[in-house]
Amino acid sequence: MRLSRYFLPVLKETPAEAQIASHRLMLRAGMIKQQAAGIYSWLPLGFKVLKRIEQIVHEEQIRAGHIPMLMPTLQPADLWRESGRYDDYGEEMLRITDRHGRDMLYGPTNEEMITDIFRAHVTSYKDLPLTLYHIQWKFRDEIRPRFGVMRGREFFMKDGYNFDLDYENAMHAYNRHMVSYLRTYERMGLQAIPMRADSGPIGGDNTHEFLVLADTGESEVFYDSAITDLRLGDRAIDYDDWDEVAGICKEWTTPYARTDETHDEAVFAEVPEARRKSSRGIEVGQIFYFGTKYSEPMGATVQDSDGNKVAVHMGSHGIGVSRLVGAIIEASHDENGIIWPEGVTPFHVGIVNLRQGDAETDAACESLYTALTAAGLEPLYDDREERAGAKFATMDLIGLPWRITVGPRGLKTGVVELTSRRTGESEELAPEVAVARLKEIYAGHL
Ligand code: ATP
Ligand code: MG
């Protein structure tokens, strides 16, 4: 993409309404525009990051054997009357009446609808296990939308639902979700710690929230610092192997890690003092096992191998896709702007032309652009007639992890400059070496 042809409405001033860094930076970098309280347009740069995150979520869900689909945003109220939640859900639910006077709602979540789909089509234990998910907009009429996309009213969420014959199978589904979530966040350059949580209005006994440690988080968390040393890395995982998957969950759930809702001082006191930490955290996901809470009242049953009708065991599992955009920025920025992890960056590399209009410099930028594209990378080329300082400031603000600077002085000796946004370190390299270097850096992310 050439910046001169892109739509990147960066702001010079710091917007007064934004209280936290991610909100400020998303507005300044021209990623979002607020349309009403807690409702945002995703401008091209923000949209790109949102789509990158969505793609990683899809890939890791599919790898775990979960099946993508799409349910609508609007739902009939009658489904929610069956589960009893239409009245329970309260003012967070946006209720709508259509022209025929039928009660509808903008879905805050999809347990009822997925249970309705299941009961319409699945009748035998032979069709289990089954996990379906979608990534769709949700609406919750939050009393205090704030922090930009972190607590919106309309937000983008992955929600998945497992259907299993019994508790043991459902717990394997639970574990599979935990491991696939760990991989998902790691690929985004994030550390999200699974913490024992409270089940709240959805109900159920087994639940973990995934929290990113950040001063601006809304939750108070307590943990054994040993958990922050754990990494999945690129280990091969067989998601059908119950013991292997359970073993990984055990690794991550053995060190103490809880939110304030389940925190227990007595248990925490057993952690060696130097490793006892408390901090703030951003909830970027949650997994639940809730058994037959929906399948029983809604009649989602299968015939087991003895011919008995049994209600299926379910769980639901969510990732805050749009919240993650903010959470990643909270975890990765400095005073000059965003610092995108390679896994989610909107463009892989920025090209800064220091002498726009100089035939040789322009040609070098063009050929670099072509070579990067041919290598499967997506460059953003700042080809505007702007001072170098302004171009650098824009690149720092929008946070591309790598920048190539091209100027007449370097070209005399056949080099360009490759700079890391994170460390600020630069290296002078021949253009083709810079391309090869970037290809290597992004090898695990393309
Ligand atoms: P919270 O406690 O932050 O209100 P929740 O526990 O009600 O969230 P879940 O029902 O667990 O939310 O939804 C799954 C994920 O969706 C959450 O972990 C969070 O990342 C995201 N999410 C929930 N509410 C919002 C919101 N208002 N804006 C953006 N993302 C949200
Ligand atoms: Mg939650």
Side-chain angles (χ1 to χ4, degrees), residues 69-374:
M69 60 176 294
L70 187 60
M71 289 175 270
T73 53
L74 293 185
Q75 306 185 18
D78 280 343
L79 273 182
W80 290 66
R81 293 197 173 101
E82 284 190 56
S83 71
R85 280 208 295 182
Y86 189 62
D87 294 324
D88 290 354
Y89 215 92
E91 299 208 281
E92 271 195 17
M93 180 185 280
L94 181 64
R95 296 155 208 259
I96 303 159
T97 309
D98 74 9
R99 66 195 298 168
H100 304 293
R102 281 185 287 250
D103 294 333
M104 312 284 290
L105 56 100
Y106 193 133
T109 178
N110 283 64
E111 281 81 7
E112 284 78 359
M113 189 170 277
I114 198 80
T115 305
D116 179 56
I117 292 168
F118 181 89
R119 71 181 170 185
H121 299 289
V122 182
T123 52
S124 164
Y125 75 97
K126 291 180 189 152
D127 296 324
L128 304 182
L130 179 66
T131 295
L132 300 168
Y133 79 92
H134 73 162
I135 303 180
Q136 176 63 292
W137 293 94
K138 304 290 187 291
F139 196 94
R140 295 183 190 172
D141 206 352
E142 301 273 357
I143 187 159
R144 220 150 60 98
R146 57 180 188 157
F147 300 160
V149 300
M150 297 258 261
R151 183 164 297 285
R153 292 197 296 165
E154 189 186 45
F155 60 98
F156 205 37
M157 175 172 137
K158 172 264 165 182
D159 43 322
Y161 306 87
N162 69 285
F163 300 91
D164 288 280
L165 188 58
D166 52 25
Y167 174 79
E168 287 70 29
N169 276 283
M171 285 319 289
H172 173 57
Y174 185 89
N175 291 343
R176 224 173 39 228
H177 278 90
M178 183 178 289
V179 174
S180 69
Y181 280 24
L182 290 171
R183 273 194 87 124
T184 302
Y185 300 123
E186 240 183 66
R187 277 188 63 187
M188 296 174 190
L190 270 186
Q191 178 155 55
I193 303 175
M195 303 208 179
R196 258 186 56 187
D198 193 43
S199 59
I202 292 185
D205 307 323
N206 282 300
T207 175
H208 281 85
E209 287 177 355
F210 292 78
L211 285 113
V212 172
L213 303 177
D215 295 340
T216 47
E218 292 185 286
S219 315
E220 193 178 10
V221 301
F222 302 84
Y223 61 98
D224 175 346
S225 63
I227 201 165
T228 60
D229 296 331
L230 299 176
R231 297 284 179 282
L232 271 181
D234 52 7
R235 66 177 100 167
I237 297 163
D238 176 358
Y239 280 104
D240 292 327
D241 184 333
W242 286 30
D243 293 338
E244 183 184 343
V245 172
I248 296 171
C249 293
K250 189 143 188 257
E251 254 183 86
W252 261 266
T253 52
T254 302
Y256 188 95
R258 298 195 194 179
T259 64
D260 54 356
E261 290 164 344
T262 54
H263 179 55
D264 182 334
E265 274 298 338
V267 184
F268 194 43
E270 289 164 23
V271 177
E273 196 176 349
R275 300 202 325 240
R276 243 180 272 155
K277 306 276 180 210
S278 79
S279 117
R280 309 293 298 179
I282 302 167
E283 182 193 328
V284 292
Q286 182 159 16
I287 55 177
F288 275 106
Y289 163 74
F290 47 69
T292 59
K293 182 178 159 74
Y294 298 94
S295 56
E296 238 173 69
M298 295 185 67
T301 58
V302 293
Q303 226 151 45
D304 69 13
S305 55
D306 299 326
N308 303 317
K309 249 187 172 183
V310 295
V312 288
H313 287 245
M314 294 173 59
S316 68
H317 315 281
I319 293 182
V321 175
S322 51
R323 179 180 287 182
L324 272 165
V325 181
I328 291 168
I329 298 173
E330 285 300 320
S332 186
H333 69 272
D334 63 14
E335 64 282 4
N336 297 322
I338 301 165
I339 307 173
W340 292 115
E342 273 86 0
V344 299
T345 185
F347 295 94
H348 297 113
V349 53
I351 304 172
V352 169
N353 184 335
L354 292 179
R355 181 96 43 95
Q356 205 70 47
D358 172 67
E360 201 193 338
T361 314
D362 290 358
C365 288
E366 290 296 334
S367 78
L368 197 54
Y369 188 97
T370 307
L372 287 163
T373 308

